Amino acid sequence: DNLYLSSFPIRRLESEAIRDGILAVAGCLDDQMYGEGVPIYLSEFMTGRGRPRHSGPLDSYGRRSIYRLMRRNFIPEMMLAFDMPIPFSTFGKRNITNVPAQSLTLMNNPFVHEQASYWAENLIDQTLGLSIEQRIQRIYLSAFTREATAEEISLGVNFLKEQAIQRGEKLETLNNDPDLWKEYCHSIFNF
């Protein structure tokens, strides 16, 4: 009957949970409850009548999605890509889609890139002196709450080596380079 956690059916995350999860993994989630709402970030593509004069920060100060102010004509693209209901009327059930725009959003959205940078910087600060394999292990614990398998560690090391080669460096010399680790963290967000 799928009553136990070990066999509970897999469910899709809602757009707000995806955004908040990215903030949490990057170490940027502000879990303070209540308070003022945060204006949404207005991208260059959000134009039209009624556009607010001021844009909020890209990460909404790390506040959970529930505390973001919404304007029905200016909904963040990332939230729409992951099936956030349009706030014109009530919805009994959210749409559940699996479309290429979702993968492209995770690959190209400035918010995701910014959080990958923060995650990489936090990782380097917290793991000085650890090996590359140990850092990959920390990334898996943060993102998936499990240890990485030997194959995943090997794939991670190979990915980092390829990134180092593209930069004309050896991996060991780039071990504390935030840009290198940002690329790996970003790939984990897309996993």
Side-chain angles (χ1 to χ4, degrees), residues 49-62:
R49 196 175 115 211
R51 185 173 200 248
R53 290 184 184 167
H54 304 288
S55 174
L58 184 58
D59 69 347
S60 299
Y61 303 119

Side-chain angles (χ1 to χ4, degrees), residues 97-145:
T97 61
N98 186 15
V99 294
Q102 294 167 340
S103 296
L104 292 170
T105 296
L106 288 175
M107 286 177 23
N108 299 314
N109 190 280
F111 167 75
V112 179
H113 280 274
E114 179 186 68
Q115 294 308 308
S117 290
Y118 290 147
W119 190 14
E121 290 167 10
N122 288 336
L123 175 77
I124 290 169
D125 289 344
Q126 296 168 2
T127 60
L128 284 175
L130 292 184
S131 70
I132 292 167
E133 292 81 1
Q134 290 170 319
R135 280 189 176 166
I136 291 171
Q137 201 63 264
R138 290 291 278 284
I139 286 171
Y140 270 76
L141 285 170
S142 296
F144 306 118
T145 62

Side-chain angles (χ1 to χ4, degrees), residues 134-165:
Q134 290 170 319
R135 280 189 176 166
I136 291 171
Q137 201 63 264
R138 290 291 278 284
I139 286 171
Y140 270 76
L141 285 170
S142 296
F144 306 118
T145 62
R146 67 170 176 83
E147 292 187 356
T149 64
E151 181 183 4
E152 290 167 334
I153 290 174
S154 175
L155 288 170
V157 170
N158 289 338
F159 175 87
L160 292 166
K161 281 182 183 175
E162 288 176 20
Q163 292 294 313
I165 289 169

Side-chain angles (χ1 to χ4, degrees), residues 162-182:
E162 288 176 20
Q163 292 294 313
I165 289 169
Q166 288 179 5
R167 296 165 192 235
E169 299 276 346
K170 290 187 176 183
L171 180 56
E172 293 73 25
T173 61
L174 294 174
N175 192 23
N176 291 324
D177 180 16
D179 290 333
L180 178 73
W181 286 100
K182 176 201 176 235

